Structures are given as structure tokens and as C-alpha cells.
Amino acid sequence: MSGDARPEVAAWNGLVDALRTAGDKLAADTADLDPAEQADGLRALVRGLSNQLSRLEIDRERPELVPFNGWRHKFLMDNPDFRYWVTEVRGDRTYRIRGNRGDASYLSVTVYKRTGGIGSEATARIDSDAIGFDDDDGFEIVVGGTAPGAGDWLDLPERSGAIWVRFFHGDVARDELGWCSIEPVVEPPVPPSIDPDRFTSALGTLAATTSMLPTIFEISTKDDLDPPNTLRHWSEMAGGAVFTEPGIHYVRGGWQLEPDQALVIEGDTVECRYWNILAYSRFLNSLDFRYRPVSYTGATATVVDGRYRFVVAAEDPGVGDWIDSEGRDFGIVVMRFLQPTDTPPLPSVRVVQLHELRGE
């Protein structure tokens, strides 16, 4: 069989072609941007590839819960105030998830089925309201099969194939972080050292997802520019689309600022289990949370008489909670409200000159 006719070679070449095509589209889409944004687009592509590579060799018989949102592999609206663990499973198997919540204020385990492309639908979930924790905050959940007579159990409905575990942290820099692991209840037989068909299929999936990223970046940010400097309810994220948490209400908008301008976001808090605000690039990567103030939670934000005030700017204005824009003229702000008792009121948004803000 010639090299071109071999399935794994064809899949490999497809991946290489997808990377080149995606890079070419990003280069064209960012041609009018400054050099930093141009480079950042390709960095976002590499990070997305790295994220997918961390889960490439999936064994659904012996799944592993893999950390999802490290800074080197940010991917499609990562959230550094959460800790995500992700795995792929078989719907006809039974697994056991063990872990510890640490200082997480909330924990959820959600099962999804894919609905085409990168879309998904949540099919089953259990959260920290129902999970039985031991005295040390440890937990154990049986997933799939028949419900046991005692203990926590999560169903694996038909066509379900992915599990996400989320730890919601109020102060991720100081909290003890939660963790989890998964194992099959019945030990499966030793697998072959490599399954050529499975490997070839995985390369094809990697190529398909990578090729979609530039278009996702482009389409996703259109509404944030029409018009900019406003926030809206982001209802399309309800129900687990793109592996989101079904209990979250999203508010989203984009900023478009001159170097001497700031975006002031003010509003009333709403009763909910948890909330945060986070800044993203046009490539749907969170901004540099390692060294810059780009996110706040209900535990770290300054709330006075039930009101918050965030200021998006390239430098600290000295008033309100500063969100560092990194000097980007365009970016995205997302607010997440977990299980709000009412629809969160949209905050007021205004563009001001930095020197005027400092004088307030």
C-alpha cells in the first residue's frame, strides 16, 4: 500500500493541511491588527491545539480526568476561577469518580452528549447540594450502570460520552484546590498497544476541530462589536452548549477603547450561588491571569451596598476594581451567575477618559 493510501498517513496529512489552512485564515483575518494581536491569534491556535492534544489518546474503557484550563492550553472561554476536569467515557460502562472538593464553594459533575461539531447537550448532572461528602470533604460517585443501593450515583443516558467536573473557587489564588479521578468499576482487559483505526479517527477529529477555530473566533466576536461597549444576556449558552454548566446565566459584551479611555461597568448584585467577571481576548482566551487582575468573583470583588464597579483599562485608574485590558483596543467581558434567584440585571456601561475617572 502506498503512503498516500494508508489511512493514518492520510489523516496525518489532513491534520497538517488543517493547521496550515487555519493559520492562513487567521493571518488574513488579523491583517489589519497590530503585531501583538497578530501573534496572539496564532498563539490561541497553538493553545487550542495543545488543549486537544492533552486528550488525544482517549481510552474510554480506562478514562482519565484531565485538567482542562491550564494557561498553556486555553481554549474557548476558559475560566481560571474554576478548575475543570474532563474525560470521555462509554455509555455502556460503569465508573467510579473519587475526589475532594478542597475549598471550592460549589462542585458539579455533568454528563454530556455531542450534538455535532463542538456542540453538546447536558444529559445528567449532580452537584454539591446532592453529593455526600465525608468529614474531610472527600466524595465518591458511581457513574453509569444501575443505581447502587447506597451512595451517590449519576446516570449515563443513551449517547452520553463526556464528563466534566467543575470546582467553583471564590479565591483560587488562596483556596485549597479540589481534585478528582475516575476508574472503571470492572477492570477491562489489557488493550492493544495501539489501535490504528482509533488513532486515525483521533487525528481526523483533531484536524476538524482545529480547522474550525478561526471561524469560531470570527463569528463569536461579531455581536461584541455590534455595538461595542455594552453588555447583553448571552442566552445561547444555556443548556450545556459547548460543554457549559447548565445552571449558569451569562452576561457578555465587548469593549472598544482608545489608549486613554476606560470602560466602567456598574450594577447591582443578584442573589446566586456564585458569580464572577472575566476578561478575554478576541481569540476567546482569558487574559493573563497569572500576572494581571483580569477576573473577580463574589468573594474578591468590592461590593458596596449591593453594588459592584469594575473598570476595564490599560492602567490602574485607582477607583473601582481594575480589570487590566493589557492595552488591547478590543476585548470581551463575560459575567457568570450560578443559579441566580432572578434574572441578573444588566449593568450600566460607559466609556470615560482615564483622567476624568481619576478625578471622581
Side-chain angles (χ1 to χ4, degrees):
M1 182 181 295
S2 66
D4 292 342
R6 288 166 49 187
E8 77 281 2
V9 174
W12 174 264
N13 291 335
L15 173 59
V16 173
D17 291 343
L19 283 169
R20 179 176 294 279
T21 300
D24 288 346
K25 177 168 175 52
L26 265 180
D29 291 347
T30 58
D32 296 331
L33 302 180
D34 64 54
E37 290 276 46
Q38 291 173 342
D40 197 33
L42 292 177
R43 181 175 66 168
L45 189 64
V46 171
R47 284 172 167 175
L49 180 65
S50 175
N51 182 290
Q52 297 172 81
L53 286 172
S54 70
R55 293 172 287 132
L56 179 67
E57 296 193 65
I58 295 170
D59 183 353
R60 291 177 174 84
E61 298 281 0
R62 302 167 187 76
E64 296 175 69
L65 281 160
V66 179
F68 180 77
N69 62 335
W71 69 267
R72 289 185 179 87
H73 47 264
K74 298 180 181 183
F75 187 59
L76 301 184
M77 294 286 185
D78 62 290
N79 185 348
D81 294 318
F82 292 3
R83 284 297 181 267
Y84 306 83
W85 299 74
V86 185
T87 193
E88 302 274 345
V89 295
R90 286 185 52 150
D92 58 349
R93 296 292 188 266
T94 305
Y95 307 94
R96 182 180 293 105
I97 294 177
R98 291 190 174 99
N100 191 287
R101 70 184 298 170
D103 291 330
S105 59
Y106 183 81
L107 165 68
S108 68
V109 183
T110 307
V111 176
Y112 298 89
K113 68 177 180 181
R114 297 184 183 275
T115 57
I118 62 171
S120 64
E121 178 184 331
T123 57
R125 67 186 301 278
I126 188 171
D127 61 27
S128 46
D129 289 343
I131 295 171
F133 296 94
D134 63 27
D135 293 339
D136 296 320
D137 287 326
F139 63 90
E140 180 176 311
I141 305 167
V142 174
V143 182
T146 304
D152 294 327
W153 176 71
L154 184 61
D155 193 14
L156 273 178
E158 185 178 358
R159 294 176 56 208
S160 298
I163 297 176
W164 286 57
V165 184
R166 291 177 174 86
F167 296 83
F168 293 59
H169 285 278
D171 190 346
V172 73
R174 295 178 173 84
D175 283 356
E176 179 182 345
L177 301 182
W179 63 270
C180 55
S181 64
I182 187 171
E183 63 184 9
V185 170
V186 177
E187 183 66 23
V190 175
S193 60
I194 184 170
D195 183 330
D197 291 339
R198 179 184 294 179
F199 177 69
T200 299
S201 176
L203 288 180
T205 299
L206 180 60
T209 303
T210 302
S211 66
M212 289 190 292
L213 289 181
T215 300
I216 291 172
F217 299 157
E218 178 185 22
I219 293 175
S220 181
T221 57
K222 277 186 176 179
D223 288 343
D224 299 308
L225 287 167
D226 187 23
N229 302 323
T230 186
L231 293 179
R232 69 185 191 279
H233 296 293
W234 195 16
S235 58
E236 54 263 42
M237 296 304 289
V242 199
F243 299 100
T244 56
E245 167 67 33
I248 293 178
H249 184 102
Y250 294 84
V251 172
R252 169 178 171 165
W255 74 78
Q256 193 165 46
L257 300 171
E258 299 296 328
D260 58 348
Q261 291 180 326
L263 188 73
V264 180
I265 301 171
E266 298 173 297
D268 296 315
T269 58
V270 64
E271 185 177 345
C272 59
R273 295 292 300 272
Y274 177 99
W275 66 272
N276 80 331
I277 184 170
L278 176 60
Y280 294 92
S281 73
R282 68 175 72 238
F283 308 110
L284 311 184
N285 281 190
S286 63
L287 299 192
D288 187 7
F289 59 81
R290 294 183 301 154
Y291 304 117
R292 301 170 183 267
V294 300
S295 74
Y296 294 87
T297 72
T300 60
T302 303
V303 178
V304 179
D305 296 329
R307 288 184 60 80
Y308 54 78
R309 187 189 212 195
F310 302 107
V311 181
V312 181
E315 54 187 87
D316 190 351
V319 295
D321 286 329
W322 176 37
I323 295 177
D324 189 345
S325 70
E326 301 180 352
R328 297 172 188 262
D329 62 348
F330 172 76
I332 303 164
V333 169
V334 174
M335 302 185 76
R336 293 169 169 87
F337 299 89
L338 174 65
Q339 299 174 9
T341 55
D342 296 297
T343 301
L346 289 177
S348 66
V349 181
R350 57 191 172 99
V351 177
V352 299
Q353 300 299 120
L354 267 172
H355 71 273
E356 294 175 358
L357 192 60
R358 293 194 179 99
E360 292 187 5

